[in-house]
Amino acid sequence: MRPSGRALDELRPVSIEVGVTRHAEGSCLIRMGDTHVLCTATIEDKPPPFLKNTGLGWVTAEYGMLPRATNTRMRREAAAGKQSGRTQEIQRLIGRALRAGVDRSALGERQIVIDCDVIQADGGTRCASITGGWVALRLAVNRLLKAGSITSDPILDHVCAVSCGIYAGQPVADLDYAEDSVAGTDGNFVLTGRGRLIEVQMSAEGATFSRDEMSALLDLSDAAAKTLLAAQAEAVGS
Amino acid sequence: MRPSGRALDELRPVSIEVGVTRHAEGSCLIRMGDTHVLCTATIEDKPPPFLKNTGLGWVTAEYGMLPRATNTRMRREAAAGKQSGRTQEIQRLIGRALRAGVDRSALGERQIVIDCDVIQADGGTRCASITGGWVALRLAVNRLLKAGSITSDPILDHVCAVSCGIYAGQPVADLDYAEDSVAGTDGNFVLTGRGRLIEVQMSAEGATFSRDEMSALLDLSDAAAKTLLAAQAEAVGS
Amino acid sequence: MRPSGRALDELRPVSIEVGVTRHAEGSCLIRMGDTHVLCTATIEDKPPPFLKNTGLGWVTAEYGMLPRATNTRMRREAAAGKQSGRTQEIQRLIGRALRAGVDRSALGERQIVIDCDVIQADGGTRCASITGGWVALRLAVNRLLKAGSITSDPILDHVCAVSCGIYAGQPVADLDYAEDSVAGTDGNFVLTGRGRLIEVQMSAEGATFSRDEMSALLDLSDAAAKTLLAAQAEAVGS
Amino acid sequence: MRPSGRALDELRPVSIEVGVTRHAEGSCLIRMGDTHVLCTATIEDKPPPFLKNTGLGWVTAEYGMLPRATNTRMRREAAAGKQSGRTQEIQRLIGRALRAGVDRSALGERQIVIDCDVIQADGGTRCASITGGWVALRLAVNRLLKAGSITSDPILDHVCAVSCGIYAGQPVADLDYAEDSVAGTDGNFVLTGRGRLIEVQMSAEGATFSRDEMSALLDLSDAAAKTLLAAQAEAVGS
Amino acid sequence: MRPSGRALDELRPVSIEVGVTRHAEGSCLIRMGDTHVLCTATIEDKPPPFLKNTGLGWVTAEYGMLPRATNTRMRREAAAGKQSGRTQEIQRLIGRALRAGVDRSALGERQIVIDCDVIQADGGTRCASITGGWVALRLAVNRLLKAGSITSDPILDHVCAVSCGIYAGQPVADLDYAEDSVAGTDGNFVLTGRGRLIEVQMSAEGATFSRDEMSALLDLSDAAAKTLLAAQAEAVGS
Amino acid sequence: MRPSGRALDELRPVSIEVGVTRHAEGSCLIRMGDTHVLCTATIEDKPPPFLKNTGLGWVTAEYGMLPRATNTRMRREAAAGKQSGRTQEIQRLIGRALRAGVDRSALGERQIVIDCDVIQADGGTRCASITGGWVALRLAVNRLLKAGSITSDPILDHVCAVSCGIYAGQPVADLDYAEDSVAGTDGNFVLTGRGRLIEVQMSAEGATFSRDEMSALLDLSDAAAKTLLAAQAEAVGS
């Protein structure tokens, strides 16, 4: 029934390749089927100004898409002179999600910037950015621990994300673009390694949904998270 | 236990005053306690370019805060030269929420712009904007019907919204600023007149939540919607 | 003869409601007929950089119109990405006018920001902003005096403003939009409580005027000021 | 008494050199003492969009200062990414002033753009721009008449401008920078060849003025206009 | 002598992988050692406005760097709100270079946009963009030919580029970052398949160079081109 | 053969008038035929931030064109809200060229800003800016030396520039606009007083060139430099 022939709860093939760029303190290329996102982590020695002298650190994210990551070329945001509302909404979500898995006190007064750049898009780029962004963050923090810059691990738990939605009347996991563009209701679910929730964003445009449908999608996301967590664990070697 | 002394499920006093500006095709001033939002609806004879010759209409929203709507003066966005990511996120939410309650085919090739301007803020401005924005929309559509510009009512149902969150370990309805600024988890719930969901946005920064907590907040939002729907009905005189 | 049926020298009903927002140090809603402007005063502990270590304070103003304050919706300046030339011209005028009534040395090294936001427009918004802005300023300064932050009153005199013009060949006071949009010559007159002038801006587009016409408008403005000063005095309780 | 040793009503030496750039349809370099402004007129075959199919033309102006036209280098507006409020205010004034001397119906559906670029500044640049801008406009219109593009002269009268102010307690004409920077009150006066007024802008910062003082400045401007009009007439050869 | 141990005329390993993104009409990932650039070609059915009804096509380019393509994270241009002067200079060069190898008449009224996004930088990114951009262009044009949209091949010749400079007193080919950052003189050389020149940009900051040194660099670039042309030919399968 | 009737190696008449603005520390108006550029030098007591505490100074340049410097009016960059890619490319070139002739250590921790504003354009504006900019720089540095602010001369040599190109199949010097707009290949050559090269930019759009053609243009530029250097020497009185 799904355009890709996948089962309702079947994710696209997930791969997370680490160490893909020589400059960043942590990096990975995450592939969820044809969605490919390059995630890098940059450690900055200073926290943002509003955290000066608080003892707390910060994790933030920026998101971008290459102009031809999509089927039709999109205008380059740098040339347009601003980031779209969609871009800002996504990067705020990624930052918020990753911060929820970090003890900012243990991180100390520094900032880690996660850049998520979509090389190729086929739906689910914000969720892939969160799942891959966590890997880049984990690798950067490992480097801080190894260097003795921090002594206790500020990473509280894994953070991963998946989109699920109602496609052709059925709840399905990990929407690709063909599904996403016609789904009446879809949601993004951010979860921890222990199965707790960090963010739930369900949205219907030109439709509505019931609590039962919401539950079905939450169930799907819960199952999907197990696959994503395993891929993360394998990527970071733990 | 709540700073305001309210019961856990108690909303702030709601009032919706209609016809507050003489120019707009629909308008209201919604007050949720000390949160005051002026909502106006403008009917434009043409749809946005991407809907030309589709027979479909559009509903969109813009959101702003007066610089001194808050306790500390915020920089005027017009002077700063751009809308913040937060503003864009909110106005996208309002537009999406209101469109979900509209039959865009019955609306025909026109656009209704809902402007939500926060005169005074005390938490929950985006939810008040949705609840009040629907009233302005309803009044503008009434005018189209009365003028015979459209013949069948494009409004499918009421749309209202409320924020609920976990404050001091307890699920509470209609967070004010004092609660919102310290709540570990909070959510915005957009509901229809028939109790179906349009949008659920739950978010935890530096914390996580369980599905049980999520259910408790959904229950609160469901009860709150009844009060809001009644206030809307009274305001539009139906 | 006037569209509103007013006498040539008759102002629209003036009302100034104070304390209309709970956050600002001073606030009022001024209504000149259907022109409604919300004025708030914000006290900032630091002067602008160019006054550092001079012992002098500053008063500045910002002006905005809600998009649907006018008969046709205007593009939101925050969305457009800049303030129009008209907006900047008006807020520079308001600031200049209010500063002329202040002893900046007695104010000390702080800044008071007057925000004038037009809720509904029917001509004369810049003049209403000055008249109402002075009330917000007076109330904020009262608070400084009461708190003992300053010991001598920096307010030298009232400041109020009115527009007058040649409508259908006759000099008329307090132009509304119907008059303003067709007047060949119109002017804005800023006056003090003692009847001295702070600013006179007379302008003809596609026409010219004589010194006699100018005198007639100055006479009208002088009379109008008395009404405005009385409304200010009543509002601030002096 | 004046820093320059001029009499109270004495203008700086005025010179208007025409035909200073080979590309523009009309051009002049106006010098008021050390204030030098290059004015060019460009004829565009189409009016601005809002005048399409009205039979009316338009005259507009743009104003700029070279970064080192002033004693201290000012930031280049093109590099800053926007025109200052002051620049916009000035160019709006120039356009308004020149339009008041034009029969837009006789001009027909075309636009004339007057560019006023300050090469060297010593006070009074906006007034020099108006006086010189009129010369560039006159020359461009002459070309239209000569080419037979229009048959009746759309120029109704000369337009010129001068700044006068209260310096050291005395009314003086044609303020230079040394005077302008300390004058308590100053004004810009735009006049026609027949001695009628187009624009009067009097302004006091940190001071106030009386109607008598205003009259004295108007008298000075009236006398000054005669000199400026003669210089214009000589420049355009009439 | 070179930091990398390369011979004076030795290029870094070159690889050009084609078909790296499923959406673009042509794409490749070019690697010059640690400099990796993703090049995509987008075919647009319409030419830019200035070529409408001329029968001519256009080739243009845009360039960007991922924020962490470099050793230190650079600010994202989309967030900064504009492309730097360096970025614009580079993308203008790429477009100009590729157009020189195209018969715009044979291309017909369409535009091909080449996006060059630097995934990882180690010097020479603009040259790699030209060499890789040509491959993406060639592949996109092949598609047009295959589809019969155009009948004669608009590609006149290969276009490739290399940077050469004076490092430690010696002329060297294909500067990497370690060399580029200290070279007194360096140049970018764009060449065709037949060994003719399209662009030469030699530049000295804080130094100067002689015509003999220039000749030495031109000789190096000529030799380097042979390697690059072979890599291009292999990549496009000709 | 040339539109102007000049010999192949004949420059347009060169004149450099110094001291043309009373505010700048150094200034000149350079005329290369109908290309007129006003160059001013501003001395700033502080270097740019990245040179703080290095003992080194900086020379930078900004470039602009008056809107009607050209045959068709160009949009004012300040009004457009940004400098074009062409403008940025040119001003980066001017700065780089002038810095190559300066000992930044002898200059000490200060900055000299060269503003080059094109009053009238007829091709070759960037080259005229460099030649004239050097004169403004020389004059400003003379003032520093005279005042004893620096003790050894930081100017190492003259810097001048000329454009040469292939016009109608022939190498010609100092292209004017009529030639420049049709030349298949053209180049900008920046040279020192001793005949060494600072920058060579040769470029072909829709064409290519050989090393022999390049040599011919270099020969022309070498000869042209002698005339330009003499004009500079005369202007600065050495």
Side-chain angles (χ1 to χ4, degrees):
Chain A
M1 182 213 72
R2 303 179 71 175
S4 58
R6 283 188 275 151
L8 297 181
D9 63 351
E10 187 183 347
L11 303 191
R12 293 174 286 182
V14 188
S15 91
I16 305 177
E17 186 184 346
V18 301
V20 292
T21 167
R22 78 172 206 185
H23 297 301
E25 280 78 45
S27 73
C28 74
L29 176 63
I30 182 168
R31 291 189 186 86
M32 299 288 295
D34 278 336
T35 288
H36 302 173
V37 186
L38 182 64
C39 304
T40 60
T42 297
I43 300 171
E44 294 178 354
D45 283 344
K46 286 189 294 192
F50 66 91
L51 288 180
K52 226 177 153 179
N53 301 324
T54 61
L56 298 174
W58 193 247
V59 174
T60 189
E62 286 192 5
Y63 171 93
M65 286 184 98
L66 297 193
R68 197 57 200 280
T70 44
N71 192 43
T72 304
R73 185 177 185 272
M74 294 183 313
R75 191 167 178 208
R76 190 177 287 268
E77 291 189 327
K82 63 174 178 175
Q83 295 181 299
S84 70
R86 177 185 172 276
T87 292
Q88 290 186 69
E89 194 170 312
I90 291 176
Q91 66 193 12
R92 283 159 57 92
L93 167 64
I94 301 169
R96 219 157 54 222
L98 295 179
R99 276 193 300 277
V102 167
D103 175 347
R104 300 199 285 118
S105 174
L107 180 57
E109 286 198 15
R110 54 177 58 81
Q111 175 166 255
I112 301 184
V113 182
I114 307 298
D115 283 291
C116 301
D117 286 275
V118 179
I119 304 297
Q120 187 175 274
D122 186 35
T125 63
R126 78 187 72 188
C127 290
S129 296
I130 291 169
T131 305
W134 183 86
V135 169
L137 173 64
R138 173 75 272 176
L139 295 172
V141 168
N142 285 355
R143 186 179 290 212
L144 284 174
L145 286 164
K146 203 167 172 184
S149 308
I150 51 177
T151 49
S152 78
D153 187 0
I155 305 246
L156 302 166
D157 201 349
H158 282 240
V159 176
C160 69
V162 67
S163 75
C164 302
I166 311 290
Y167 173 76
Q170 298 280 358
V172 298
D174 189 25
L175 300 168
D176 56 31
Y177 180 74
E179 294 166 334
D180 189 36
S181 53
V182 298
T185 294
D186 68 88
N188 297 296
F189 302 87
V190 185
L191 301 103
T192 69
R194 293 181 192 86
R196 287 180 63 87
L197 294 157
I198 286 175
E199 186 113 11
V200 171
Q201 292 193 334
M202 291 197 56
S203 171
E205 177 147 337
T208 58
F209 56 93
S210 67
R211 282 181 68 169
D212 284 352
E213 288 170 319
M214 192 168 171
S215 279
L217 298 187
L218 281 160
D219 289 345
L220 279 176
S221 72
D222 203 55
K226 291 184 178 39
T227 305
L228 298 171
L229 295 164
Q232 287 182 329
E234 193 191 333
V236 303
S238 66
Chain B
M1 181 216 71
R2 302 180 71 174
S4 58
R6 282 188 276 151
L8 297 181
D9 62 353
E10 188 182 346
L11 304 191
R12 293 173 287 182
V14 188
S15 91
I16 305 178
E17 186 185 346
V18 302
V20 293
T21 168
R22 77 171 206 185
H23 296 302
E25 280 78 45
S27 72
C28 74
L29 176 63
I30 182 167
R31 291 190 186 84
M32 300 286 297
D34 278 336
T35 288
H36 302 172
V37 185
L38 182 64
C39 304
T40 61
T42 297
I43 300 172
E44 294 178 354
D45 283 343
K46 286 189 295 190
F50 66 91
L51 288 180
K52 225 178 155 178
N53 301 323
T54 63
L56 298 173
W58 194 247
V59 175
T60 189
E62 287 191 7
Y63 170 92
M65 287 184 98
L66 297 193
R68 197 56 200 279
T70 43
N71 192 42
T72 303
R73 185 177 184 273
M74 294 184 313
R75 191 169 177 206
R76 191 177 286 267
E77 290 189 329
K82 61 174 182 178
Q83 294 180 299
S84 70
R86 177 186 173 276
T87 290
Q88 291 186 67
E89 195 170 312
I90 291 174
Q91 66 192 13
R92 283 158 57 91
L93 167 64
I94 301 169
R96 222 158 49 223
L98 294 178
R99 275 193 300 277
V102 168
D103 175 348
R104 300 200 284 119
S105 174
L107 180 57
E109 286 199 15
R110 54 178 56 81
Q111 175 166 256
I112 302 184
V113 182
I114 306 298
D115 283 292
C116 300
D117 285 275
V118 180
I119 304 296
Q120 187 175 275
D122 186 34
T125 63
R126 77 188 73 188
C127 291
S129 295
I130 290 169
T131 304
W134 184 86
V135 170
L137 173 65
R138 174 74 270 176
L139 294 172
V141 168
N142 285 354
R143 185 178 291 213
L144 284 175
L145 286 165
K146 205 169 174 183
S149 309
I150 52 177
T151 48
S152 80
D153 187 359
I155 305 244
L156 302 166
D157 201 348
H158 282 239
V159 176
C160 68
V162 67
S163 76
C164 301
I166 310 290
Y167 173 76
Q170 298 279 356
V172 300
D174 189 26
L175 301 169
D176 56 29
Y177 179 76
E179 293 164 336
D180 188 37
S181 54
V182 299
T185 294
D186 69 89
N188 297 297
F189 302 87
V190 185
L191 301 102
T192 71
R194 294 182 190 86
R196 287 180 63 85
L197 293 157
I198 287 176
E199 186 113 6
V200 170
Q201 292 193 333
M202 293 197 54
S203 170
E205 179 145 337
T208 58
F209 56 93
S210 67
R211 282 181 67 170
D212 284 353
E213 288 169 320
M214 192 166 170
S215 279
L217 298 188
L218 280 160
D219 289 344
L220 280 175
S221 73
D222 204 55
K226 292 186 178 34
T227 305
L228 298 171
L229 293 165
Q232 286 182 328
E234 193 191 332
V236 302
S238 64
Chain C
M1 182 212 74
R2 302 179 71 174
S4 59
R6 281 187 276 152
L8 297 182
D9 64 350
E10 186 183 348
L11 303 192
R12 293 173 286 181
V14 188
S15 91
I16 305 177
E17 186 185 347
V18 301
V20 292
T21 167
R22 77 172 205 186
H23 297 302
E25 281 78 45
S27 72
C28 75
L29 176 63
I30 181 167
R31 292 187 185 87
M32 299 288 295
D34 278 335
T35 287
H36 302 173
V37 185
L38 182 64
C39 305
T40 60
T42 298
I43 300 171
E44 294 178 353
D45 283 344
K46 285 190 295 192
F50 66 91
L51 288 179
K52 224 176 155 181
N53 301 322
T54 61
L56 299 173
W58 194 246
V59 174
T60 191
E62 287 192 7
Y63 171 92
M65 286 184 99
L66 297 194
R68 197 56 200 279
T70 44
N71 191 42
T72 304
R73 185 177 185 272
M74 294 183 313
R75 190 168 179 206
R76 191 177 284 269
E77 291 190 328
K82 60 173 180 177
Q83 294 180 300
S84 70
R86 178 187 172 275
T87 292
Q88 290 185 68
E89 195 170 310
I90 291 175
Q91 66 193 11
R92 282 158 58 91
L93 168 65
I94 301 169
R96 219 159 51 222
L98 295 178
R99 274 194 301 278
V102 167
D103 175 347
R104 300 199 285 117
S105 172
L107 180 57
E109 287 199 15
R110 54 177 58 83
Q111 177 166 254
I112 302 184
V113 182
I114 307 297
D115 284 292
C116 301
D117 285 274
V118 180
I119 304 296
Q120 186 175 274
D122 186 35
T125 62
R126 78 189 71 190
C127 290
S129 296
I130 291 169
T131 306
W134 183 87
V135 169
L137 173 65
R138 173 75 272 176
L139 295 172
V141 168
N142 285 354
R143 186 179 290 212
L144 285 174
L145 286 164
K146 203 169 175 182
S149 308
I150 51 177
T151 47
S152 78
D153 187 359
I155 305 245
L156 301 166
D157 201 347
H158 281 240
V159 177
C160 68
V162 67
S163 75
C164 302
I166 311 290
Y167 173 77
Q170 298 279 358
V172 299
D174 189 25
L175 300 168
D176 55 31
Y177 179 75
E179 293 164 334
D180 188 37
S181 54
V182 297
T185 294
D186 69 89
N188 297 296
F189 302 87
V190 185
L191 302 102
T192 70
R194 291 181 193 87
R196 287 179 63 86
L197 293 157
I198 287 176
E199 186 114 13
V200 170
Q201 292 193 332
M202 292 199 55
S203 170
E205 177 147 338
T208 58
F209 56 93
S210 67
R211 281 181 69 168
D212 284 351
E213 288 170 320
M214 192 165 169
S215 278
L217 299 187
L218 280 160
D219 289 343
L220 280 176
S221 72
D222 202 56
K226 292 187 176 38
T227 305
L228 298 171
L229 294 164
Q232 286 182 329
E234 192 190 334
V236 303
S238 65
Chain D
M1 178 214 76
R2 302 180 71 175
S4 59
R6 282 188 276 152
L8 296 182
D9 62 352
E10 186 183 348
L11 303 191
R12 293 174 287 182
V14 187
S15 91
I16 306 178
E17 185 184 349
V18 301
V20 293
T21 168
R22 76 172 207 186
H23 297 303
E25 281 78 45
S27 71
C28 75
L29 175 63
I30 182 167
R31 292 189 185 86
M32 300 286 296
D34 278 337
T35 288
H36 302 173
V37 185
L38 182 63
C39 304
T40 61
T42 297
I43 300 172
E44 294 178 353
D45 283 344
K46 286 190 294 191
F50 66 91
L51 287 180
K52 225 178 154 177
N53 301 323
T54 61
L56 298 174
W58 194 246
V59 174
T60 190
E62 287 191 8
Y63 170 93
M65 287 183 98
L66 297 194
R68 196 56 200 279
T70 43
N71 192 41
T72 305
R73 185 177 185 272
M74 295 184 312
R75 192 170 176 205
R76 190 177 287 267
E77 290 189 329
K82 62 173 180 178
Q83 293 180 299
S84 70
R86 178 186 172 277
T87 290
Q88 291 186 68
E89 196 170 311
I90 290 175
Q91 65 192 14
R92 283 158 57 92
L93 167 63
I94 301 170
R96 221 159 50 223
L98 295 179
R99 274 194 300 278
V102 168
D103 175 347
R104 300 200 285 116
S105 175
L107 180 57
E109 286 199 15
R110 54 177 56 81
Q111 175 166 255
I112 301 184
V113 182
I114 307 297
D115 283 292
C116 302
D117 286 275
V118 180
I119 304 295
Q120 186 175 276
D122 186 34
T125 63
R126 75 188 72 189
C127 291
S129 295
I130 290 169
T131 305
W134 183 87
V135 169
L137 173 64
R138 174 73 271 177
L139 294 172
V141 168
N142 285 354
R143 185 179 292 213
L144 285 173
L145 285 165
K146 204 169 174 181
S149 309
I150 51 177
T151 48
S152 79
D153 187 359
I155 305 243
L156 301 166
D157 201 349
H158 282 240
V159 176
C160 69
V162 66
S163 74
C164 302
I166 310 291
Y167 173 76
Q170 299 279 356
V172 298
D174 189 27
L175 300 168
D176 56 30
Y177 180 75
E179 293 165 335
D180 187 38
S181 54
V182 298
T185 295
D186 69 90
N188 297 297
F189 302 87
V190 186
L191 300 103
T192 69
R194 293 180 193 87
R196 287 180 64 86
L197 294 156
I198 287 175
E199 186 112 9
V200 170
Q201 292 192 334
M202 292 198 55
S203 171
E205 178 145 335
T208 59
F209 56 94
S210 67
R211 280 181 70 170
D212 284 351
E213 289 169 319
M214 194 166 168
S215 279
L217 297 187
L218 280 160
D219 290 343
L220 279 177
S221 71
D222 203 55
K226 291 184 179 39
T227 306
L228 298 171
L229 293 164
Q232 286 183 328
E234 191 191 334
V236 302
S238 64
Chain E
M1 180 213 76
R2 302 179 71 175
S4 59
R6 281 189 276 152
L8 297 181
D9 62 352
E10 187 182 348
L11 304 191
R12 293 173 286 181
V14 188
S15 91
I16 305 178
E17 187 184 348
V18 301
V20 293
T21 168
R22 78 172 205 185
H23 296 301
E25 281 77 45
S27 72
C28 75
L29 176 63
I30 182 168
R31 291 189 186 88
M32 300 286 296
D34 278 336
T35 288
H36 301 174
V37 185
L38 183 63
C39 305
T40 61
T42 297
I43 300 172
E44 294 178 354
D45 283 344
K46 286 190 295 192
F50 66 91
L51 288 180
K52 225 177 156 179
N53 300 323
T54 61
L56 298 174
W58 194 246
V59 175
T60 189
E62 287 191 8
Y63 170 93
M65 287 184 97
L66 298 193
R68 197 56 200 280
T70 43
N71 192 41
T72 304
R73 185 177 184 274
M74 292 183 315
R75 192 168 177 207
R76 190 177 287 268
E77 290 189 329
K82 62 173 180 177
Q83 294 180 299
S84 70
R86 177 187 172 276
T87 291
Q88 291 187 67
E89 194 170 312
I90 291 175
Q91 65 194 12
R92 283 159 57 92
L93 167 64
I94 301 170
R96 220 159 50 222
L98 294 179
R99 275 194 300 277
V102 167
D103 175 346
R104 300 200 285 117
S105 174
L107 181 57
E109 285 199 14
R110 54 177 58 80
Q111 175 165 255
I112 302 184
V113 182
I114 307 297
D115 283 293
C116 302
D117 285 274
V118 180
I119 303 298
Q120 187 176 275
D122 186 35
T125 62
R126 77 188 71 188
C127 290
S129 296
I130 290 169
T131 305
W134 183 86
V135 169
L137 173 65
R138 173 75 271 178
L139 295 172
V141 168
N142 285 354
R143 186 179 290 213
L144 285 173
L145 285 165
K146 206 170 172 180
S149 309
I150 51 177
T151 49
S152 79
D153 187 358
I155 305 242
L156 301 167
D157 201 349
H158 283 239
V159 176
C160 68
V162 66
S163 74
C164 302
I166 310 290
Y167 173 75
Q170 299 279 357
V172 298
D174 188 27
L175 301 168
D176 56 30
Y177 180 75
E179 292 164 336
D180 188 37
S181 54
V182 298
T185 295
D186 69 88
N188 297 296
F189 302 87
V190 184
L191 300 103
T192 70
R194 293 182 190 88
R196 286 180 64 86
L197 294 157
I198 287 175
E199 187 113 9
V200 170
Q201 292 192 335
M202 292 198 55
S203 170
E205 179 146 336
T208 58
F209 55 94
S210 66
R211 280 181 69 171
D212 284 351
E213 288 169 321
M214 192 167 170
S215 279
L217 298 188
L218 280 160
D219 289 343
L220 280 175
S221 72
D222 203 56
K226 293 188 176 37
T227 305
L228 298 171
L229 293 164
Q232 286 182 329
E234 192 190 333
V236 302
S238 64
Chain F
M1 183 212 71
R2 302 180 72 174
S4 58
R6 282 189 275 152
L8 297 181
D9 63 350
E10 187 183 347
L11 303 191
R12 294 174 285 183
V14 188
S15 91
I16 305 177
E17 188 184 345
V18 302
V20 293
T21 167
R22 77 173 207 185
H23 296 303
E25 280 78 44
S27 72
C28 74
L29 175 63
I30 181 168
R31 292 188 185 88
M32 300 287 296
D34 278 336
T35 288
H36 302 174
V37 185
L38 182 64
C39 305
T40 60
T42 297
I43 300 172
E44 294 178 354
D45 282 344
K46 285 189 295 190
F50 65 91
L51 288 179
K52 224 177 155 178
N53 301 322
T54 62
L56 298 173
W58 194 246
V59 175
T60 190
E62 286 191 7
Y63 171 93
M65 285 184 99
L66 297 194
R68 197 56 200 280
T70 44
N71 192 43
T72 305
R73 185 177 185 273
M74 295 184 313
R75 191 169 177 206
R76 192 177 284 268
E77 291 190 326
K82 62 173 178 175
Q83 295 180 299
S84 69
R86 177 186 173 275
T87 292
Q88 290 185 68
E89 197 170 310
I90 290 175
Q91 66 193 12
R92 283 158 57 89
L93 167 64
I94 302 170
R96 220 158 51 223
L98 295 178
R99 275 193 300 279
V102 168
D103 175 347
R104 300 201 284 118
S105 173
L107 181 57
E109 286 199 14
R110 55 177 57 82
Q111 176 167 256
I112 301 184
V113 182
I114 307 297
D115 283 293
C116 301
D117 286 274
V118 180
I119 303 298
Q120 185 176 276
D122 185 35
T125 63
R126 79 188 70 188
C127 290
S129 296
I130 290 169
T131 305
W134 183 85
V135 169
L137 173 65
R138 173 75 270 176
L139 296 172
V141 168
N142 285 354
R143 187 179 290 213
L144 285 173
L145 285 165
K146 203 167 174 184
S149 308
I150 51 177
T151 48
S152 79
D153 187 358
I155 306 246
L156 302 166
D157 201 348
H158 282 240
V159 176
C160 68
V162 66
S163 74
C164 302
I166 310 290
Y167 172 76
Q170 299 279 358
V172 299
D174 190 25
L175 301 168
D176 55 31
Y177 180 74
E179 293 165 333
D180 188 36
S181 54
V182 298
T185 294
D186 69 89
N188 297 297
F189 302 86
V190 185
L191 302 102
T192 69
R194 292 180 193 88
R196 286 180 63 86
L197 294 157
I198 286 174
E199 187 114 12
V200 171
Q201 291 193 334
M202 292 198 54
S203 170
E205 179 147 335
T208 58
F209 56 93
S210 66
R211 282 182 66 171
D212 283 351
E213 288 170 319
M214 193 166 170
S215 278
L217 299 187
L218 281 160
D219 289 344
L220 280 176
S221 71
D222 203 55
K226 292 186 178 36
T227 305
L228 299 171
L229 293 165
Q232 287 182 329
E234 192 190 334
V236 303
S238 64

